[in-house]
């Protein structure tokens, strides 16, 4: 009898592991297909080396049937991956600056994003919402999001904007939902007040603001870390690729450093 129980137990365990492996593979395939798809330009694919999209999204717990909010998608680098990976099974909200009709960065950025989304049916299910820094914004219907993501945005919003974003994200997320943050990391040895315009943000400050909004820090990762980046460049983070703000001046030096050192933080509601 004991032998039969052991055989049954092993059989059940093997089946569970097999099913788990299949689910993991399926999710991995969704991301692999999106990342390798021909709709992504060669230039964008070249940045995978520094942005590690698959590892980053898996760290945040991405699943293809989730409701996901991407904050200020900008040129749509991550949208190119998220939209096809979620299409047909999940939902993607792009919470972006509104088009006020003015000729400024915010309105023009929204226009460019709208144009990009209209360029390919792969983006047909993306829903745009409005995100206004420093003002309360409905990123998605309250309590519906499984995952809110922000990639290299916090430095644009100032302290007040960061604080409001964390509140907005908390409102949009379900209980147990995840906020994933990737941001240029300012070394603890540098003064935040003296270097606010450098494009780098202190990790401790981000964690404090997230906790103040009600989040718990679930995990951090060095997926996007770059120990070569000293974060003390003449034009701030924009000195490094891909911006290369100094153009040909010391270009090889900054190419050798690569893209910025980045914190990767997973918060839970």
């Amino acid at each position: 009898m004991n032998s039969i129980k052991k055989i049954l137990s092993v059989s059940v365990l093997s089946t569970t592991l097999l099913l788990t492996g299949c689910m993991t593979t399926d999710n991995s395939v969704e991301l692999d297909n999106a990342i390798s798809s021909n709709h992504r330009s060669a230039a964008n694919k070249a940045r995978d080396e520094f942005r590690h999209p698959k590892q980053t999204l898996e760290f945040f717990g991405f699943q293809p049937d989730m409701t996901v909010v991407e904050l200020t998608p900008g040129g749509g680098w991550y949208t190119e991956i998220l939209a096809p990976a979620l299409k047909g099974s999940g939902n993607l909200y792009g919470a972006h600056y509104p088009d006020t009709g003015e000729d400024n960065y915010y309105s023009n950025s929204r226009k460019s994003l709208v144009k990009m989304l209209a360029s390919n049916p792969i983006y047909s299910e993306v829903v745009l919402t409005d995100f206004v820094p420093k003002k309360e914004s409905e990123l998605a219907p309250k309590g519906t999001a499984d995952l809110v993501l922000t990639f290299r945005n916090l430095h644009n919003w100032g302290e007040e904007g960061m604080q409001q974003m964390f509140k907005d994200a908390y409102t949009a997320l379900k209980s147990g939902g995840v906020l994933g943050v990737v941001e240029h990391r300012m070394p603890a040895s540098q003064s935040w007040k003296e270097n606010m315009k450098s494009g780098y943000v202190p990790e401790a400050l981000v964690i404090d603001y997230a906790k103040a909004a009600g989040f718990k820090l679930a995990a951090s990762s060095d997926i996007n870390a770059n120990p070569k980046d000293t974060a003390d460049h003449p034009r701030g983070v924009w000195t490094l690729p891909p911006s290369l703000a100094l153009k040909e001046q010391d270009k090889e030096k900054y190419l050798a450093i690569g893209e910025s050192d980045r914190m990767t933080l997973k918060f839970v509601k």
Side-chain angles (χ1 to χ4, degrees), residues 85-143:
L86 291 164
K87 190 177 172 83
S89 300
N91 301 288
L92 177 59
Y93 290 93
H96 203 62
Y97 308 120
D99 178 5
T100 62
E102 301 171 83
D103 183 16
N104 58 34
Y105 168 79
Y106 299 103
S107 291
N108 292 335
S109 180
R110 177 66 170 242
K111 289 185 181 78
S112 295
L113 181 61
V114 169
K115 184 177 180 180
M116 172 198 159
L117 296 181
S119 70
N120 193 317
I122 207 164
Y123 305 119
S124 63
E125 296 179 8
V126 179
V127 176
L128 289 183
T129 58
D130 292 340
F131 168 71
V132 182
K134 302 181 183 180
K135 293 184 179 180
E136 184 176 351
S137 303
E138 185 177 76
L139 312 180
K142 183 177 180 180

